[in-house]
Amino acid sequence: MRAAIEQARQGGTPFGCVIVKKDAVVVSAHNTVAQDLDVTAHAEINALRKLHAQKKRVDLSGYVLYTTCEPCPMCMSAILYAGITTVVYGASINQARQYVPQIEIASHDVTAKSPHKALIIPGMLGPECLHLFEEFPQKSGK
């Protein structure tokens, strides 16, 4: 999770993500919505795009995704379709709503309605991840 936090800081946003396999970071990304003028350029989507391009395949089972904020419904759906095995997040969607508008549908709710499943581990370094919203308030929009 510390690598995801560092990725968020490097990008100047509260949103950072890394994808790991066998305890090694394979790809990292941050939110680039404003730079790319692309509302889908969330940290998780950017990381998935990098890993798909790197591995040249759709199925990413066996990978663990760490993200500073609970994935939004769009990101969680993409994570599930990609076959990511485990999702670890810091700040929850509910907590992030204090700082930015969020669609308040929790990751476990998206997973519960999906034929695809992933283990979800909430709250890792939650206070540090939530602090990112205070560090970068003008860039908190997803």
Side-chain angles (χ1 to χ4, degrees):
M1 184 60 77
R2 295 213 185 278
I5 292 170
E6 181 55 32
Q7 187 57 217
R9 286 191 173 119
Q10 286 178 13
T13 80
F15 305 103
C17 178
V18 296
I19 301 178
V20 173
K21 188 154 190 178
K22 296 181 183 174
D23 296 324
V25 173
V26 181
V27 297
S28 57
H30 58 272
N31 180 300
T32 59
V33 168
Q35 297 96 304
D36 296 348
L37 300 175
D38 178 354
V39 297
T40 69
H42 293 194
E44 299 92 340
I45 298 293
N46 288 341
L48 289 171
R49 286 175 177 154
K50 284 183 179 181
L51 189 55
H52 285 305
Q54 184 183 100
K55 297 300 176 184
K56 307 256 188 273
R57 62 184 173 145
V58 173
D59 180 18
L60 300 178
S61 56
Y63 289 89
V64 178
L65 184 144
Y66 290 82
T67 184
T68 56
C69 186
E70 182 175 5
C72 73
M74 174 188 68
C75 290
M76 193 63 210
S77 296
I79 290 164
L80 291 170
Y81 280 116
I84 294 288
T85 305
T86 305
V87 176
V88 183
Y89 69 82
S92 71
I93 283 179
N94 191 42
Q95 291 170 316
R97 285 183 67 223
Q98 299 172 61
Y99 301 93
V100 297
Q102 294 287 317
I103 298 172
E104 194 176 357
I105 300 174
S107 295
H108 65 270
D109 291 337
V110 176
T111 303
K113 295 182 187 262
S114 171
H116 308 284
K117 301 299 175 200
L119 174 64
I120 299 171
I121 302 171
M124 180 177 279
L125 300 179
E128 288 182 50
C129 293
L130 194 58
H131 182 70
L132 292 166
F133 288 91
E134 295 167 1
E135 286 183 46
F136 306 108
Q138 72 282 5
K139 295 185 179 180
S140 291
K142 269 207 164 188

